[in-house]
Amino acid sequence: MGSAEQVNSSYRRIQPFIEIMDSTLRDGEQTSGVSFLPHEKLMIARMLLRDLNVDRIEVASARVSENEKDAVTMICRYARQAGMLDRVEVLGFVDGRLSVDWIDACGCKTINLLAKGSEKHCREQLHKTPKEHIEDILHTVRYAKEKGMNVNLYLEDWSNGMNDSPEYVYQLMDALTLNPEPLTINRFMLPDTLGILNPLQVIEYMRKMLKRYPEQHFDFHAHNDYDLAVSNSLAAVLSGCKGIHVTVNGLGERCGNAPLSSVQVILKDQFRAKTNIHENKLNDVSKLVEGYSGIAVAPNQPVIGENVFTQVAGVHADGDNKAGLYFNPLVPERFGRRREYALGKNSGRANIAKNLEELGMELTAEQMRRVTKRITELGDKKEIVTQDDLPFIVSDVLKHDTPDDKIKLVSYVVSTAYGLKPGANVKVEINGKQYEAGATGDGQYDAFVKALRYIYKKYLGRTFPILQNYVVSIPPGGRTDALVQTVITWDNDGKIIRTRGLDADQAEAAIKATIKMLNIFEWEK
């Protein structure tokens, strides 16, 4: 049997189920510039517990602020009503009764006590001997138990402790596990606080801990300074660790923590581990945390990135058409998403055919050749082509084969002047009939949309789609003095679409995106 087979075989014997603890609301909030409001913390906690079904959540550090206390109280109230209070935890400190009382006042029943896991931290930060620190820990644990709390214990800087002072680590563990008093500590949590370990070290150290303390439940808490947080988490699991700490989108101090989504899929697919995670909610919770934190997810981030289920090369789309040749176990439907086929200079006919198929459109071979040529030209100019654009590209290329736009912008004027509200005068043709209106607004584009809304309401007796999101950016590869791209998200009676406009002028780009949107909804109507 080879070494890889030995590791996998050993893993399957040791641990078929892995407990997932999410620390987005505590460790994740230590990301530079991230501070969740109390109601945001509650919304994230609800989704993590109820929808994603993580085993435990760590929601705050004790004694931080009154806002933090409000947030923990709200979360604990919700969790108690939902029968999930035992899954909520708060970081506390070896400070006598202070942290325990703070956590208890919030209604939380589990303290994650932060002890020092390296002799260097103990002596140089606390200025105490190991024996003194152990006495302080025991005092806090006893008091927490008197309050009816569950206690988990962090060994902060455990990685350096195992590197430089393993006897100190063992001294601490012996005192806490061999104590004649009934001081049950539910979990010992082993952090790589500074992100210094590699997988081989994790395997070595974790196995030493398990060999000496086989009856204890160990969690591993990784940091990503060397981009090894996921690998180290998996190494810990392979060594017999029972729990892994993660954060949504990999949020955390410095380079962040192990991303929940990546840890989950590798545990399940590569090692056949069992967890309680509902994978179809991974994308939803990622988007919620992305919105509240303001920290964007990289487009190529595995599982949750915007581009990870987008095929670009035409040969891949061709293989998918024929036999699913370019599918792997990470199918988008598993995560509540769908596969997309990018349209650009590398698309080829197969990508275009896939997008046309979803739109219910069929083209002849000659028509397909001409549309492919046009999309390639746009790709060479760095224009982003989406599925929403495709019907209009087809219409533009095959004018004699397809109907004209139902809605045309005949003319418009937008203006702005110092001391006056921006204005717009608009003339549009809708199904062959022209309408004209003027309006003022908070900006040129706002005035333009208000004029259109007036036309739709007065002359057509119809509601105008609701603008949900508006993003302006430089197209990929562009320059600040070149074209701008406007991406607008619209809602028309629950039907959501995104349209893009490209122009040297921001208002013109937005206007193009708006007319494109109106035509899409008009054709559907």
Side-chain angles (χ1 to χ4, degrees), residues 405-472:
D405 290 346
K406 290 180 174 290
I407 299 177
K408 297 178 181 178
L409 184 61
V410 178
S411 63
Y412 75 92
V413 175
V414 292
S415 62
T416 185
Y418 181 74
L420 298 175
K421 294 196 76 171
N425 289 295
V426 180
K427 181 185 288 187
V428 293
E429 182 179 303
I430 303 175
N431 294 319
K433 188 173 181 180
Q434 293 190 356
Y435 304 92
E436 187 173 350
T440 59
D442 294 329
Q444 294 178 340
Y445 177 65
D446 184 53
F448 177 85
V449 170
K450 284 182 176 177
L452 284 178
R453 289 187 188 280
Y454 180 82
I455 290 171
Y456 266 66
K457 182 176 181 180
K458 179 175 181 179
Y459 299 113
L460 304 178
R462 288 161 53 185
T463 58
F464 193 85
I466 298 171
L467 189 153
Q468 282 200 332
N469 197 21
Y470 181 103
V471 179
V472 179

Side-chain angles (χ1 to χ4, degrees), residues 329-347:
L330 298 172
V331 292
E333 292 77 14
R334 175 176 163 187
F335 309 107
R337 302 181 64 181
R338 66 183 183 89
R339 193 174 304 278
E340 298 181 1
Y341 294 87
L343 297 168
K345 66 180 182 180
N346 296 316
S347 299

Side-chain angles (χ1 to χ4, degrees), residues 35 41 51 84 99 143 165 263 301 380 478 512:
S35 179
K41 280 200 163 193
D51 300 331
M84 297 185 287
S99 288
Y143 184 62
S165 53
V263 168
Q301 177 75 20
D380 282 334
K512 286 181 177 179

Side-chain angles (χ1 to χ4, degrees), residues 23-172:
S23 187
T24 303
L25 299 177
R26 199 277 297 176
D27 219 7
E29 198 178 25
Q30 292 178 194
T31 306
S32 178
V34 173
S35 179
F36 298 118
L37 296 172
H39 79 274
E40 293 175 337
K41 280 200 163 193
L42 176 61
M43 293 300 102
I44 294 171
R46 285 179 58 186
M47 182 169 280
L48 288 169
L49 291 171
R50 181 189 63 189
D51 300 331
L52 194 62
N53 200 36
V54 298
D55 297 286
R56 300 146 50 209
I57 58 173
E58 189 176 48
V59 300
S61 296
R63 302 169 53 207
V64 168
S65 67
E66 284 304 309
N67 271 350
E68 195 80 331
K69 194 170 188 178
D70 291 342
V72 177
T73 302
M74 289 167 60
I75 292 169
C76 290
R77 184 186 305 119
Y78 160 76
R80 185 185 305 106
Q81 292 169 351
M84 297 185 287
L85 185 59
D86 60 330
R87 295 162 61 186
V88 178
E89 303 169 5
V90 175
L91 181 76
F93 307 97
V94 182
D95 54 11
R97 299 186 171 193
L98 296 177
S99 288
V100 173
D101 285 342
W102 191 95
I103 295 169
D104 183 60
C106 295
C108 183
K109 293 302 179 183
T110 302
I111 180 172
N112 291 342
L113 191 61
L114 189 69
K116 298 302 180 182
S118 70
E119 189 171 13
K120 185 176 181 180
H121 268 221
C122 178
R123 293 189 183 280
E124 297 189 16
Q125 189 172 42
L126 298 182
H127 304 294
K128 293 193 175 186
T129 65
K131 185 177 179 180
E132 289 172 329
H133 186 41
I134 289 168
E135 284 302 318
D136 291 341
I137 295 170
L138 292 173
H139 173 71
T140 302
V141 172
R142 290 187 192 105
Y143 184 62
K145 289 295 182 179
E146 289 174 12
K147 286 284 190 177
M149 283 189 178
N150 297 312
V151 178
N152 302 319
L153 189 84
Y154 272 113
L155 297 181
E156 186 184 14
D157 200 36
W158 169 79
S159 46
N160 271 318
M162 294 302 289
N163 273 339
D164 305 329
S165 53
E167 292 309 314
Y168 166 83
V169 177
Y170 302 146
Q171 180 184 357
L172 201 66

